[in-house]
Amino acid sequence: MSDEPLLSIRDLSVDFHTPDGVLSAVDHVSYDVYPGETVGVVGESGSGKSVAVQTVLGLTPTPPARIRSGEIRLGGRDLLQLSQRQMRRVRGREIAMVFQDPMTSLNPVMTVGRQIDEAVQVHTAVSDDEARARSVELLHTVGVGDAERRCTQYPHELSGGMRQRAMIAMAMANQPRVLIADEPTTALDVTIQAQVLELLETTTAQTQAGTILITHDLGLIAELCDRVIVMYAGTVVESGDVTAIFHTPRHPYTVGLMASLPRLDAAVQRLEPIPGSPPSLLHPPPGCSFHPRCRLGAGRERCRQEAPALRSADTCGHLAACHYSEEIHAEISRVEATTGSRLSQDG
Ligand SMILES: Nc1ncnc2c1ncn2[C@@H]1O[C@H](COP(=O)(O)OP(=O)(O)OP(=O)(O)O)[C@@H](O)[C@H]1O
Ligand SMILES: [Mg+2]
């Protein structure tokens, strides 16, 4: 892994100003993406995963959103300081995004080929014929057979998996340095999901792009990611190498996620939901935002009063925001006994 991150999110805070008050969707979030690596972002619905990456792309609507703090560094610039016009140049060429549902991001009244041609032509001055040749080649690369004919078809004439491949072709059209995939395969059936993700992995490996993969599927994280960011209520509660996160988790929320969500890689089978629900971001609890649901903290005063900082856990680069992460073994053992599965490998 290279020493220099491609993309560096530093201390990012994003609020939404709503009629009911100010909602802190992303709160002092920092993470990096290095060349060629895939960073997985996990966390329950509403934890700020999408808002953070939308802000990276300059797609957060301001208002109602307001960027309260932070920097997003890409190639020596702070993206938060760029004009709309400058950001348009960054989007697509340097950072591209694959969305959850291609039907909402592909234009239904334009042929697939024309849309990929345009993605090519936005950033490179080439003739229509040259752009089309490149589009055919891109579709071919992403495994769409009969690419020339597919180019003349409209999105509704393609299957879901093929549309998602066309989206990836569009995203890769300009060999972006960073690829952001937000739940890219949720709308697809399982076998097509695997193919699309494999494709994402091989294309980014070829270009050494860095990838941010947002998913609820811990199995996919285990399979595809190098590092993992765990988000809870707008903050990063744990981050580290994928093996550290799976084998020596240091935050009780991460342990809870592993016990509550299915994993492709584990022979788990009994699942244990995390009690309660995520806090209201309009009225977050004092202290650690996870404390009302935490069995490890068990209502201890420090957890109720003091927000834990993200600090170094065991191995290098592994961070966790828990006052009692040294006691995590007790929580892991409890979950293992309840679910009958093995989470930790360091006993
Ligand atoms: N335009 C908006 N106006 C007000 N609040 C918003 C807006 N967009 C997002 N939010 C709030 O910001 C918080 C974070 O949302 P975000 O979409 O980032 O969650 P997420 O982690 O991506 O969830 P999911 O897994 O469901 O996609 C949520 O509480 C959401 O309601
Ligand atoms: Mg989301």
Side-chain angles (χ1 to χ4, degrees):
M1 196 161 80
S2 149
D3 297 342
E4 282 288 308
L6 280 173
L7 179 76
S8 198
I9 302 173
R10 280 285 152 272
D11 197 35
L12 181 67
S13 304
V14 182
D15 295 336
F16 283 97
H17 290 251
T18 75
D20 299 324
V22 178
L23 175 160
S24 182
V26 172
D27 201 19
H28 299 291
V29 162
S30 299
Y31 62 86
D32 294 328
V33 182
Y34 289 84
E37 77 164 348
T38 299
V39 176
V41 183
V42 284
E44 282 162 304
S45 192
S47 57
K49 306 181 298 292
S50 295
V51 170
V53 296
Q54 280 158 10
T55 308
V56 169
L57 287 154
L59 296 176
T60 317
T62 48
R66 202 177 72 87
I67 295 162
R68 181 169 22 102
S69 72
E71 283 185 4
I72 297 171
R73 303 213 70 88
L74 176 81
R77 288 157 306 168
D78 177 5
L79 299 185
L80 294 180
Q81 303 303 323
L82 300 188
S83 67
Q84 290 278 356
R85 196 158 146 261
Q86 290 169 313
M87 251 340 267
R88 269 198 296 277
R89 258 183 276 147
V90 169
R91 269 199 304 272
R93 182 157 61 186
E94 295 181 75
I95 308 181
M97 177 130 183
V98 179
F99 294 92
Q100 178 171 345
D101 178 7
M103 271 321 251
T104 60
S105 32
L106 288 173
N107 184 340
V109 297
M110 203 191 258
T111 62
V112 171
R114 189 70 213 122
Q115 295 184 60
I116 308 176
D117 299 349
E118 280 194 356
V120 172
Q121 288 177 312
V122 167
H123 297 297
T124 332
V126 291
S127 71
D128 289 355
D129 286 349
E130 285 168 313
R132 178 51 56 93
R134 176 98 178 102
S135 299
V136 168
E137 185 192 315
L138 281 162
L139 279 180
H140 190 73
T141 316
V142 299
V144 173
D146 202 2
E148 259 159 75
R149 189 171 65 87
R150 293 298 181 194
C151 275
T152 66
Q153 293 184 316
Y154 291 88
H156 74 267
E157 298 179 83
L158 272 59
S159 68
M162 232 183 266
R163 281 198 291 267
Q164 197 57 295
R165 283 164 191 263
M167 281 281 297
I168 295 175
M170 249 164 91
M172 299 310 289
N174 295 290
Q175 306 210 330
R177 294 201 274 170
V178 178
L179 186 72
I180 298 177
D182 191 350
E183 301 275 358
T185 58
T186 322
L188 304 175
D189 72 54
V190 177
T191 45
I192 309 289
Q193 267 190 32
Q195 289 170 12
V196 168
L197 288 161
E198 202 171 299
L199 170 69
L200 209 60
E201 200 180 24
T202 43
T203 28
T204 52
Q206 276 160 17
T207 59
Q208 279 297 294
T211 305
I212 300 175
L213 174 65
I214 300 179
T215 176
H216 284 101
D217 189 330
L218 290 178
L220 290 182
I221 297 266
E223 209 170 318
L224 296 172
C225 296
D226 301 293
R227 282 186 312 114
V228 184
I229 308 294
V230 183
M231 288 190 67
Y232 186 76
T235 65
V236 175
V237 294
E238 181 160 8
S239 68
D241 286 347
V242 67
T243 38
I245 297 289
F246 278 90
H247 295 158
T248 57
R250 284 291 172 267
H251 196 286
Y253 178 62
T254 312
V255 174
L257 272 185
M258 288 201 269
S260 66
L261 297 176
R263 283 166 62 176
L264 288 177
D265 69 312
V268 176
Q269 302 340 329
R270 245 169 305 145
L271 298 177
E272 182 195 51
I274 302 173
S277 47
S280 153
L281 298 175
L282 280 168
H283 307 286
C288 173
S289 57
F290 187 58
H291 89 256
R293 307 171 74 187
C294 184
R295 294 189 178 94
L296 179 65
R300 280 185 270 202
E301 190 177 337
R302 191 166 176 211
C303 304
R304 286 185 281 116
Q305 298 198 339
E306 189 189 327
L310 200 55
R311 62 192 169 96
S312 181
D314 42 19
T315 53
C316 108
H318 186 176
L319 305 172
C322 174
H323 293 307
Y324 297 104
S325 61
E326 287 74 16
E327 297 176 23
I328 197 78
H329 292 291
E331 177 61 4
I332 292 173
S333 305
R334 192 195 62 72
V335 165
E336 287 180 341
T338 314
T339 61
S341 67
R342 187 141 178 73
L343 292 179
S344 171
Q345 307 216 331
D346 72 344

